[in-house]
Amino acid sequence: RSSILAKARDCAGLMRRIVAAGHELCNHMPHDRSYALLGEPAFAADLRAAEESLAPYQPQLPPPSARTWFRPPMGAMSCAMARVLQREGYSPLLVDVFRFSNDVFVGGGRRGTQAGAATVEYCARRTKPGSVVIFHVPRARDRLSVVPITTGFLEWCESRGLSCVTASELAASHVGANNVLP
């Protein structure tokens, strides 16, 4: 199994184009596995390894929109992880639209258009203004379905007057009077 870090290095041009198009990168750790049972030193070392691999692609954003986001693999967090993230200046990014575990599972045993339409419908029923939706595709054989699913979901959002924004833009729109997220 190759690591997420190796995939980032292999796709350097794509990573630069993604950021240039206005997308944010989020630290998701070197491997797609739970880190919730690691102690603080081991978790911090892997967090920094992932951070170093993303550094060449991360633009420097001016405050207050600058946030360093952490998407916990499998949505699993521990107290040790939370302490390290706080010390390192990360904000955890969790989702409210998911299927199975903490991510939208693409495929679900069905193939092609039927699976894509079912995923779009599932997410559409649960999405509201301010929702955070993640299309997570752990199996390589299902990854080709991401494009039509994303296209269908974005078309649904547009038909409802919803738009996609970065996590930092969403957070900035919800900052309270004391400049603190609720």
Side-chain angles (χ1 to χ4, degrees):
R1 252 169 108 159
S2 66
S3 74
I4 293 170
L5 303 183
K7 290 175 187 169
R9 285 188 298 271
D10 292 345
C11 299
L14 177 61
M15 297 287 283
R16 286 186 187 90
R17 286 195 311 274
I18 288 170
V19 171
H23 300 278
E24 284 182 306
L25 299 179
C26 178
N27 190 326
H28 190 51
M29 299 300 283
H31 301 279
D32 194 18
R33 65 174 177 84
S34 178
Y35 286 78
L37 298 178
L38 288 183
E40 289 183 36
F43 173 70
D46 278 357
L47 180 75
R48 287 188 198 105
E51 184 176 300
E52 288 171 12
S53 75
L54 294 175
Y57 316 107
Q58 292 281 44
Q60 296 300 315
L61 301 174
S65 64
R67 280 193 167 303
T68 304
W69 295 103
F70 174 76
R71 166 72 181 125
M74 301 176 189
M77 286 278 295
S78 68
C79 292
M81 291 170 69
R83 286 189 295 272
V84 171
L85 293 172
Q86 185 173 22
R87 273 196 312 269
E88 299 292 328
Y90 278 88
S91 295
L93 179 62
L94 300 175
V95 303
D96 67 314
V97 178
F98 58 91
R99 188 175 194 179
F100 307 116
S101 185
N102 285 307
D103 297 322
V104 174
F105 182 77
V106 179
R110 294 184 281 177
R111 293 278 177 248
T113 306
Q114 183 185 9
T119 299
V120 170
E121 180 183 333
Y122 180 90
C123 294
R125 285 195 314 264
R126 289 158 177 79
T127 300
K128 60 188 180 300
S131 284
V132 176
V133 181
I134 292 181
F135 296 114
H136 185 258
V137 189
R139 296 185 308 208
R141 68 179 184 191
D142 293 329
R143 292 194 181 126
L144 290 177
S145 63
V146 171
V147 173
I149 289 170
T150 303
T151 300
F153 185 71
L154 292 174
E155 288 170 355
W156 176 87
C157 288
E158 187 176 319
S159 74
R160 302 302 189 281
L162 299 174
S163 60
C164 297
V165 298
T166 66
S168 292
E169 290 169 326
L170 180 63
S173 73
H174 285 80
V175 171
N178 296 327
N179 208 24
V180 175
L181 285 170

